[in-house]
Amino acid sequence: MRDTQQNDVTIPLIVMVIGMVWWGFLMAIPESTPAEVLQLTPVDDSAATEAAADPPLAAPRPTIVPQPEWISLFDGQTLDGWKATQFGGEGQIRIEDGALVLGFGSNMTGVTTTREDFPRMNYEVSMLAQRVDGSDFFCGMTFPVKDSFLSLILGGWGGGVCGLSSIDGFDASENQTTQFRQFRKGEWYRVKLRVTEDRIVAWLDGERIIDQELADRKLSIRIEVELSCPFGLSTWQTTGAIKDLKLRKLTPEEIPTANADAD
């Protein structure tokens, strides 16, 4: 009986002591707020959001101006689109190995286009030309410029003169376009002509040899090539050959910068 009473007193006492120890432990822990227990640093993702929304600007791509395709003026097999120019005393005209051969004449031999849609402004003509025999011009190209005409002469006046006939009444041998070049027989030369409202530009094997402004200039042709209009090719006491003859109209986008392009 005494033991039972003693246990009844001891157990509550032990519980009380444990409770006091636990309470003291809890009181020893400093108070804290939930934010202090776990403080989260906000992440500033605005820069990443802006980067995703606005990617870095790429360098602008250069504007590519589409160019019209070249139109072949000579098919290498027939004289379709051409007629023999009746100069009088002209040599034989034949097609040989894909080339149009203008035979030695007395004095001129040539062909004239029968096309009715040949442009009068803002166009290019390209060809390969060769002196087969003789010692005068092997490429006399007569072409339209607005309401006038000009002739590009290669290898004239004894074989080496290049230029435009005629500027202010002076032909290719005596005006500001006069150039001297050596031409070897049997060698092909790449010829390119560009006609715009402001100027005439001609290249020989990629080299610009003529750059003639048209403002305040009188344009004309010699009487000998009047039958070559509106567009014709001729030789003078020389056998010449032409191939890869083609035409291209300039686009409106090309025209403002065409004169600075020497390709």
Side-chain angles (χ1 to χ4, degrees):
M1 184 70 175
R2 184 178 179 181
D3 294 334
T4 302
Q5 291 179 347
Q6 188 175 2
N7 291 338
D8 291 341
V9 174
T10 303
I11 292 173
L13 182 60
I14 294 173
V15 171
M16 183 179 66
V17 172
I18 293 173
M20 293 178 64
V21 173
W22 178 250
W23 177 253
F25 176 77
L26 292 177
M27 293 300 292
I29 299 175
E31 294 184 359
S32 59
T33 63
E36 291 173 332
V37 172
L38 180 61
Q39 289 189 347
L40 300 178
T41 303
V43 177
D44 185 4
D45 60 351
S46 60
T49 303
E50 292 178 0
D54 298 315
L57 296 178
R61 295 182 178 181
T63 302
I64 300 177
V65 179
Q67 295 184 351
E69 294 183 359
W70 288 93
I71 301 171
S72 176
L73 298 179
F74 171 59
D75 62 15
Q77 299 177 351
T78 70
L79 286 177
D80 288 350
W82 299 93
K83 63 180 180 180
T85 311
Q86 303 300 311
F87 291 120
E90 61 272 3
Q92 180 186 15
I93 298 172
R94 66 184 188 276
I95 298 173
E96 185 176 298
D97 296 329
L100 174 63
V101 180
L102 306 178
F104 198 105
S106 178
N107 291 311
M108 299 182 68
T109 303
V111 293
T112 303
T113 185
T114 58
R115 297 178 65 107
E116 297 181 356
D117 61 345
F118 201 95
R120 305 190 67 86
M121 187 60 56
N122 298 322
Y123 64 89
E124 292 179 341
V125 175
S126 178
M127 72 178 78
L128 287 170
Q130 178 187 132
R131 173 184 282 148
V132 179
D133 195 13
S135 59
D136 217 290
F137 71 77
F138 60 97
C139 178
M141 177 168 46
T142 299
F143 58 93
V145 186
K146 296 182 182 180
D147 296 328
S148 302
F149 297 93
L150 281 173
S151 294
L152 172 64
I153 303 299
L154 299 178
W157 285 271
V161 172
C162 305
L164 296 176
S165 288
S166 297
I167 305 293
D168 296 331
F170 297 94
D171 61 33
S173 66
E174 54 183 358
N175 62 42
Q176 58 269 36
T177 69
T178 303
Q179 298 280 326
F180 296 91
R181 290 289 188 277
Q182 181 179 3
F183 296 102
R184 292 180 289 273
K185 293 180 182 179
E187 183 169 330
W188 290 104
Y189 296 91
R190 171 61 67 179
V191 182
K192 181 179 176 182
L193 173 76
R194 177 179 294 160
V195 180
T196 62
E197 294 184 4
D198 298 329
R199 66 203 319 121
I200 306 296
V201 185
W203 292 265
L204 183 65
D205 283 345
E207 178 188 355
R208 188 187 300 218
I209 62 170
I210 294 174
D211 190 347
Q212 175 61 51
E213 294 184 355
L214 300 180
D216 301 322
R217 297 296 185 184
K218 178 183 177 181
L219 310 181
S220 61
I221 54 176
R222 291 175 59 120
I223 191 171
E224 295 94 329
V225 296
E226 286 184 352
L227 293 176
S228 296
C229 300
F231 181 82
L233 302 167
S234 60
T235 63
W236 181 278
Q237 296 183 355
T238 295
T239 299
I242 301 292
K243 68 179 181 180
D244 194 24
L245 175 59
K246 52 191 178 181
L247 165 73
R248 186 178 78 86
K249 296 180 181 180
L250 300 178
T251 66
E253 294 80 8
E254 287 181 284
I255 294 171
T257 59
N259 297 319
D261 178 14
D263 292 339

